[in-house]
Amino acid sequence: MPVEETASTSAKVLYRPWGTITSMAGGLLAGKIFQLVWGRIRAGSEGDPPGPLESEYSTKEVLAAAVVQGAIYFLVKAAIQRGGARLFQRWTGEWPGD
């Protein structure tokens, strides 16, 4: 595995807007993916997943929704941030992290 270089201050500053844009796009993408997955889990039901204060759902359903949503969100976030950092490195020659 290649070792990533430490970023210069200028690379970190230049990466901030790019990182913000990719994070927002990742959040939107994760939300869409979760809606699709939740619809399949609930056998085609439409609408939002159960929230923690909605009494018509069991605790098991609420916690399952939270686990699935969290897993999808953090998986998509990590993939998008990593891909964005690699793309930034290709464009600038510097790794934006560390």
Side-chain angles (χ1 to χ4, degrees):
M1 280 188 157
V3 176
E4 306 299 346
E5 300 172 10
T6 303
S8 68
T9 303
S10 61
K12 288 181 179 182
V13 169
L14 289 172
Y15 181 73
R16 280 187 190 155
W18 176 251
T20 300
I21 291 167
T22 58
S23 290
M24 288 177 6
L28 292 172
L29 179 62
K32 295 292 184 190
I33 291 170
F34 175 67
Q35 290 293 332
L36 292 172
V37 170
W38 186 252
R40 289 183 184 233
I41 288 173
R42 294 284 297 168
S45 70
E46 301 216 5
D48 293 330
L53 299 178
E54 295 179 31
S55 62
E56 64 269 19
Y57 297 101
S58 70
T59 300
K60 184 178 177 181
E61 284 181 297
V62 170
L63 296 180
V67 166
V68 171
Q69 187 173 26
I72 290 171
Y73 174 76
F74 285 106
L75 176 69
V76 170
K77 180 181 174 185
I80 295 229
Q81 284 182 340
R82 188 67 174 192
R86 289 203 185 279
L87 188 59
F88 181 85
Q89 183 183 33
R90 275 191 234 133
W91 286 344
T92 66
E94 292 193 58
W95 184 254
D98 302 332

